[in-house]
Amino acid sequence: MRTDTPQAIYRKDYTPPSYWVNTVEMGFDLDPDLTRVATRMTLSRNIGSRGKSLVLYGESLELVQLRMNGKEVGKRGYTLGNGVLEIFNVPAEVTLDIETALRPNQNTSLMGLYTSNGNFFTQCEAEGFRKITFFPDRPDVMATYKVMLRADKDKYPVLLSNGNLIEEGDLGDGRHYAVWEDPFKKPSYLFALVAGQLVCQEETYKLQSGREVLLQVWVEEGNLDKTQHAMDSLKNSIRWDEERFGLELDLDRFMIVAVGDFNMGAMENKGLNIFNTKFVLANPRIATDADYAGIESVVGHEYFHNWTGNRVTCRDWFQLSLKEGLTVFRDQEFSADLIGTDSGRAVKRIEDVRVLRQAQFPEDAGPMAHPVRPDSYVEINNFYTVTIYEKGSEVVRMYQTLLGRDGFRKGMDLYFQRHDGQAVTCDDFRAAMADAGGRDLSQFELWYSQAGTPRVKVETRYDEVAQSYMITLTQSCPPTPGQPNKLPFHIPVAVGLLDSGGRDMPLVLDSVEGGDDRSVAPTTMVLELTEPSQTFHFRNVREEPVPSVLRNFSAPVILDIEYTDAQLAFLMANDSDAFNRWEAGQRLAMRRMLALTEAVKNGEALDRNADENALGAAFRATLTDNALDPAFCELALTLPSESVVAEQMDVVHPQAIHQVRRFLRRALASALRFQWEVAYQSNRTPGAYSPDPVSAGKRGLKNLALSYIVELDDGDAHKLAQSQYDNANNMTDRIAALSALVNSNAPGKDAALASFYEDFKQEALVVDKWFSLQAMARHTDVAAVRELMNHPAFSLRNPNRARSLIFSFCNGNPAQFHAPDGSGYEFWADQVIALNTINPQVAARLARSLDRWRKYAPELQDRMRAALQRVAATKSLSKDVHEVISKSLAH
Ligand code: B3K
Ligand code: ZN
């Protein structure tokens, strides 16, 4: 907590450390009230650093002892202040002994060493290791670690750290110990320890090489019946990385530990991944299809970091996307490959792009916009963003689109060949891709350095006489904070042309010699847009085509293209690219939603617009096409979310958008009621629950159908929802039914809510769902949320619980959150201020809910500004919250 103005750190100021650390040995005497840590490290001076002091970082720590080569360092040998321990006159080769004392029980930030439900856990990324000992806590300092843990044997029977267990035993005084050694050099952010009362599911697994490894999933005693899916996901991840990238698990043991108090999803500590329970625990009773999918992708993500992040790490935190963007790309590909079918892959792609549009596009257009490789930050934890992760993944995907799958693999191989064991930059990754592919990727660097979502405008012309077709692509990128002007990006734009029968035409570019053999011409072509504007000529085009542009979302851009309603319906029905089929439907819906929102803003009654022909016909065609994959149908029949519509408007009117979306859903429910009923019945999944993609897809479509039917709010609809609620044999169906009931006026809704709580009050993750469902329900206003905060199960200290109620309301219930009287903003400010003292990282995430405040009507803006200013004026604001709020107010 601070009173001064926090300082920004700049990428251009990077300097190598004055000392490298070679080995680290640590001894922990674990006690929740006062833990003592003895650290011995050997260091070597970096070349060119003679005369420079040794800089170590430390926070919320007591320095008990400091010795250099065995001798106590006197008061004049060092300075300590503002989180920096600077030691002078340090020899070129030196052994340091540092003893620190810390208070895990009082650590509510959940960074460094803390306790959760009586057990010890650590979280060190990005800068948590400095809360354990004084250390050059920066990712380019890589060392080997040997760790001894000592603790009370009854209270902490399990003692875990990174690497291999090399010794354990009794200390005789009721305490015991374990010694762990990690043979691989690692940065301090990958350090971890866990101690407490835990049990594990374990298996040995044979790698392709024949070597056997031990896999463990550690949980609290009552949760051993919820670990199988995480274990299966881990085995799938190990196999996939061997098959797809030739990367083998390098340790003999790999552990996953679940903890209920965690700031984010999970953490890739070497050999000892620590996970939020949300991404480990699953059985059909408590977890939904989405939870199962989330576990698979997060287990994969953390496992894949073992190579992309751990073996090759980041030189500095500005390079964060080097590991995060790449690892998200890898986990996305992993999930897609596991589904295996073309349509399954498309569904996964659509879901990923939805996240990008829903969260990253707004970030890129708001006050926190930053490049994939930022130039500066105040608090690095604020930069674990959708831009670093999701846009970063899109940037990696573009390499694959440009180089092809094999070319991309060659680039990965070269990257590891060059950089295994090193801390490197995004430029090193790009160089490996360019060199392996024999391509000049210098312009591609702009994807790392320029923020903002580029727009690509598409214009076309058909010349019937010449049988030629022209596509002109023109790019632009709006200004973002600190970047008023942008240079043109290198954008891969995948295109196809549809003939009047809906078939793909063979594509022959005029600039290419030959290629006239129609039977071998490709039907999708990647056009490389590198100039502000470029025209591509296709020849032998026998009729005027309908263009399908940006297939499979080949670049993270906004596409401006004019289609008639009829063309969109045609693409929705015919495009061979499933992503663009979905996209066409979304465009059609968005167009309608924006027009209706305008009408509401102008005071027109919506029922005068009740005729939903174009959209209704398109929806009917999709809903009744039995050849379509149910998972795809669900996505195609889901209207753009309220926040995605909001992003399309110059001045956002949350209540109007909400009203329109409901109106359209009701219109589509009533026009297609019979078809929804058929879809409901024909997508039932009787028998034992299985989370496989086909069953999950059916449940998804069935539950979407239920949600439409319940929009009609009549007795039959209520009965359907109630009976699904009463008879559900899995959480997916149960929660979908509960949500349908709660968002209707069904007589049984309060009873259902109450019985749900009774049935599941022992399951923290389900209680989270119970809060979250209510937070996002349409009747839930600010007063109701405040009331829910008084529920005995609510706690601000547990991040999952805080997110389930407060974040769900502020981010997931826009019509209520943006109440015209500003009460939502008052509530938001109260919670940001309360969280700030408990857990700055979580507080700073919530602080971002008002990011886009300048997009609202002036009266709302005034109220939002007042709330922002109230937070800004709070005493002892963390630098986390300070950075977010001051950037919001500035831009
Ligand atoms: N690398 C961690 C995130 C750490 C966040 C620190 N504030 C999880 C992940 O991306 O895999
Ligand atoms: Zn990650």
Side-chain angles (χ1 to χ4, degrees):
M1 303 296 157
R2 50 200 315 120
T3 45
D4 54 329
T5 303
Q7 290 300 303
I9 297 167
Y10 294 89
R11 181 162 61 89
K12 63 175 169 41
D13 293 341
Y14 172 83
T15 46
S18 53
Y19 283 80
W20 301 109
V21 179
N22 308 308
T23 61
V24 180
E25 289 179 88
M26 303 182 88
F28 285 80
D29 283 300
L30 292 166
D31 183 303
D33 295 318
L34 193 74
T35 286
R36 289 181 178 274
V37 185
T39 307
R40 169 171 294 178
M41 47 184 149
T42 59
L43 301 98
S44 304
R45 191 192 286 146
N46 200 354
I47 22 173
S49 295
R50 174 182 282 273
K52 286 194 191 149
S53 55
L54 166 61
V55 174
L56 309 176
Y57 303 99
E59 264 170 38
S60 320
L61 280 179
E62 190 192 327
L63 178 61
V64 179
Q65 204 178 69
L66 174 61
R67 288 172 175 270
M68 199 156 72
N69 288 335
K71 280 222 266 332
E72 176 109 30
V73 182
K75 285 272 174 257
R76 274 188 300 187
Y78 69 92
T79 58
L80 175 57
N82 279 330
V84 176
L85 172 63
E86 195 173 350
I87 311 177
F88 309 104
N89 302 318
V90 179
E93 299 292 326
V94 67
T95 299
L96 278 188
D97 282 294
I98 298 177
E99 199 184 320
T100 52
L102 37 137
R103 303 184 179 281
N105 257 354
Q106 287 173 27
N107 181 358
T108 59
S109 72
L110 311 185
M111 287 296 285
L113 179 67
Y114 65 95
T115 55
S116 167
N117 205 15
N119 296 330
F120 289 96
F121 296 90
T122 54
Q123 170 57 35
C124 291
E125 188 178 1
E127 296 176 337
F129 193 69
R130 63 187 64 185
K131 298 180 101 181
I132 295 172
T133 189
F134 290 90
F135 198 79
D137 187 15
R138 39 186 288 169
D140 54 352
V141 172
M142 297 170 83
T144 55
Y145 286 66
K146 188 171 170 183
V147 176
M148 177 183 262
L149 305 175
R150 289 179 291 261
D152 185 284
K153 199 173 173 174
D154 292 336
K155 290 190 190 128
Y156 311 104
V158 174
L159 303 172
L160 308 175
S161 190
N162 315 87
N164 301 314
L165 177 63
I166 56 171
E167 201 186 321
E168 57 187 332
D170 234 71
L171 288 167
D173 54 354
R175 297 192 313 151
H176 68 149
Y177 72 94
V179 182
W180 291 83
E181 190 166 42
D182 183 355
F184 293 96
K185 283 194 155 214
K186 66 168 175 287
S188 51
Y189 81 85
L190 292 173
F191 168 83
L193 75 79
V194 171
Q197 305 195 3
L198 296 163
V199 290
C200 81
Q201 176 185 352
E202 64 179 9
E203 273 182 43
T204 52
Y205 178 84
K206 199 183 244 173
L207 303 177
Q208 264 175 18
S209 65
R211 188 160 62 84
E212 296 215 325
V213 292
L214 177 64
L215 310 179
Q216 296 180 322
V217 179
W218 291 89
V219 296
E220 285 179 13
E221 177 113 50
N223 287 329
L224 218 40
D225 61 336
K226 306 184 186 91
T227 53
Q228 188 59 49
H229 183 62
M231 179 62 88
D232 291 342
S233 301
L234 179 58
K235 290 187 286 186
N236 284 334
S237 306
I238 296 173
R239 183 167 3 90
W240 182 84
D241 220 8
E242 290 184 326
E243 283 170 3
R244 175 89 185 253
F245 286 108
L247 298 171
E248 186 185 72
L249 175 57
D250 52 11
L251 290 162
D252 297 333
R253 174 200 277 252
F254 193 89
M255 298 170 280
I256 287 177
V257 187
V259 56
D261 293 282
F262 207 61
N263 282 345
M264 62 267 168
M267 178 64 212
E268 70 264 25
N269 316 302
K270 185 82 187 186
L272 180 59
N273 288 358
I274 297 182
F275 272 60
N276 190 322
T277 43
K278 180 173 164 54
F279 293 108
V280 176
L281 305 182
N283 65 24
R285 193 175 109 85
I286 67 153
T288 61
D289 292 329
D291 294 326
Y292 275 87
I295 290 167
E296 179 180 279
S297 80
V298 177
V299 168
H301 182 96
E302 305 312 329
Y303 176 75
F304 303 141
H305 267 316
N306 192 47
W307 280 93
T308 50
N310 302 3
R311 288 285 288 251
V312 183
T313 195
C314 302
R315 187 194 70 173
D316 54 71
W317 290 121
F318 297 103
Q319 319 297 330
L320 182 57
S321 198
L322 171 74
K323 75 176 177 81
E324 294 306 346
L326 176 53
T327 305
V328 171
F329 170 74
R330 275 153 55 69
D331 84 51
Q332 290 176 350
E333 289 289 280
F334 163 62
S335 298
D337 285 348
L338 276 195
I339 306 173
T341 62
D342 282 354
S343 122
R345 298 186 73 89
V347 164
K348 171 69 180 145
R349 184 72 187 126
I350 292 165
E351 287 167 351
D352 293 338
V353 173
R354 274 214 306 202
V355 171
L356 191 80
R357 283 188 178 149
Q358 175 106 11
Q360 199 278 327
F361 281 15
E363 177 166 273
D364 234 350
M368 277 289 286
H370 55 276
V372 165
R373 176 161 65 180
D375 293 316
S376 71
Y377 59 77
V378 173
E379 170 51 61
I380 184 57
N381 285 314
N382 285 333
F383 285 80
Y384 287 75
T385 58
V386 275
T387 297
I388 303 296
Y389 277 67
E390 279 21 77
K391 186 176 182 179
S393 163
E394 293 299 322
V395 169
V396 172
R397 186 175 294 278
M398 286 190 285
Y399 288 113
Q400 183 170 267
T401 304
L402 289 167
L403 302 175
R405 224 168 125 128
D406 293 343
F408 183 78
R409 169 66 197 269
K410 286 201 184 96
M412 288 288 280
D413 290 349
L414 186 58
Y415 175 64
F416 292 115
Q417 197 182 311
R418 285 179 177 174
H419 301 299
D420 187 14
Q422 300 176 3
V424 303
T425 68
C426 300
D427 293 328
D428 294 317
F429 185 78
R430 185 164 51 88
M433 287 292 155
D435 294 348
R439 297 254 344 218
D440 178 0
L441 293 175
S442 38
Q443 189 183 358
F444 198 80
E445 198 276 332
L446 294 166
W447 283 111
Y448 291 94
S449 57
Q450 295 189 144
T453 308
R455 300 189 84 99
V456 174
K457 188 169 160 52
V458 183
E459 289 157 300
T460 59
R461 203 161 69 83
Y462 180 60
D463 184 335
E464 199 178 341
V465 179
Q467 302 256 293
S468 76
Y469 188 66
M470 281 170 24
I471 296 185
T472 301
L473 302 175
T474 307
Q475 61 166 306
S476 61
C477 184
T480 49
Q483 294 187 336
N485 303 306
K486 315 276 174 156
L487 295 167
F489 291 86
H490 183 172
I491 307 177
V493 182
V495 299
L497 303 177
L498 273 67
D499 69 17
S500 51
R503 285 172 300 261
D504 273 327
M505 294 172 146
L507 304 178
V508 184
L509 272 181
D510 216 14
S511 53
V512 178
E513 295 274 322
D516 290 315
D517 179 353
R518 296 175 64 88
S519 62
V520 297
T523 54
T524 296
M525 196 175 263
V526 177
L527 307 177
E528 296 191 27
L529 175 62
T530 54
E531 306 287 325
S533 185
Q534 267 164 273
T535 299
F536 300 86
H537 298 255
F538 294 91
R539 65 168 182 259
N540 299 342
V541 181
R542 299 193 178 160
E543 57 174 313
E544 175 155 17
V546 178
S548 168
V549 186
L550 209 69
R551 281 184 159 176
N552 204 35
F553 199 68
S554 59
V557 302
I558 295 170
L559 197 66
D560 291 321
I561 180 164
E562 277 178 25
Y563 284 120
T564 62
D565 283 1
Q567 284 177 319
L568 288 174
F570 176 79
L571 285 169
M572 199 176 167
N574 295 297
D575 200 329
S576 65
D577 185 75
F579 180 88
N580 268 357
R581 274 208 310 279
W582 170 78
E583 182 80 327
Q586 295 292 299
R587 278 179 190 273
L588 200 58
M590 179 64 83
R591 180 176 294 176
R592 191 75 188 120
M593 290 173 83
L594 290 174
L596 290 178
T597 307
E598 245 350 270
V600 171
K601 277 166 97 175
N602 296 334
E604 286 174 37
L606 278 178
D607 21 327
R608 277 202 278 134
N609 288 290
D611 174 24
E612 289 310 328
N613 275 337
L615 193 59
F619 268 45
R620 180 186 303 267
T622 301
L623 192 48
T624 53
D625 183 345
N626 289 329
L628 287 177
D629 176 355
F632 177 83
C633 277
E634 186 208 342
L635 293 169
L637 298 171
T638 300
L639 294 175
S641 71
E642 290 174 32
S643 57
V644 165
V645 178
E647 276 304 307
Q648 299 284 314
M649 301 176 66
D650 292 329
V651 180
V652 183
H653 194 314
Q655 287 78 22
I657 298 174
H658 179 73
Q659 201 185 326
V660 163
R661 196 168 185 278
R662 280 206 70 214
F663 164 79
L664 266 184
R665 279 174 51 84
R666 241 178 295 153
L668 292 164
S670 110
L672 303 172
R673 175 154 195 164
F674 173 72
Q675 287 76 11
W676 291 119
E677 302 269 4
V678 172
Y680 185 92
Q681 297 304 338
S682 53
N683 285 287
R684 285 179 180 275
T685 48
Y689 171 87
S690 151
D692 69 87
V694 174
S695 314
K698 287 186 173 179
R699 274 188 293 275
L701 181 54
K702 179 191 68 183
N703 288 323
L704 180 77
L706 176 68
S707 80
Y708 271 102
I709 294 167
V710 168
E711 288 287 355
L712 299 171
D713 229 345
D714 56 27
D716 286 346
H718 297 159
K719 248 208 270 170
L720 188 65
Q722 186 70 49
S723 115
Q724 176 168 325
Y725 181 79
D726 294 337
N727 299 314
N729 75 343
N730 64 79
M731 182 51 76
T732 307
D733 285 341
R734 189 175 304 278
I735 198 96
L738 184 63
S739 170
L741 288 171
V742 168
N743 283 291
S744 75
N745 293 308
K749 68 182 199 174
D750 291 336
L753 260 181
S755 84
F756 186 90
Y757 181 76
E758 271 313 303
D759 290 347
F760 292 103
K761 64 183 175 202
Q762 306 301 341
E763 298 288 353
L765 295 169
V766 183
V767 175
D768 290 338
K769 292 183 199 301
W770 184 79
F771 276 112
S772 157
L773 184 150
Q774 294 179 80
M776 296 194 295
R778 80 186 141 87
H779 305 289
T780 304
D781 58 10
V782 182
V785 178
R786 286 197 190 268
E787 189 56 43
L788 278 166
M789 284 185 70
N790 294 326
H791 191 281
F794 185 76
S795 158
L796 217 44
R797 283 186 178 238
N798 174 258
N800 285 359
R801 197 54 51 87
R803 285 188 278 259
S804 75
L805 182 57
I806 297 168
F807 287 54
S808 296
F809 179 72
C810 296
N811 302 335
N813 198 342
Q816 294 285 4
F817 176 60
H818 294 280
D821 63 2
S823 55
Y825 313 143
E826 284 289 308
F827 171 77
W828 166 87
D830 292 344
Q831 306 319 320
V832 173
I833 292 167
L835 279 166
N836 176 64
T837 43
I838 300 172
N839 187 327
Q841 245 179 78
V842 174
R845 292 283 151 158
L846 182 61
R848 300 217 32 203
S849 300
L850 286 199
D851 259 21
R852 303 291 278 137
W853 66 283
R854 288 185 198 270
K855 270 184 86 78
Y856 293 80
E859 319 79 71
L860 286 182
Q861 275 196 34
D862 288 345
R863 297 186 196 282
M864 289 193 232
R865 189 191 296 106
L868 283 159
Q869 283 167 342
R870 179 154 74 88
V871 175
T874 306
K875 273 208 216 94
S876 13
L877 209 55
S878 60
K879 66 176 174 174
D880 310 55
V881 175
H882 184 277
E883 176 171 37
V884 171
I885 299 289
S886 57
K887 285 182 175 168
S888 282
L889 283 167
H891 298 285

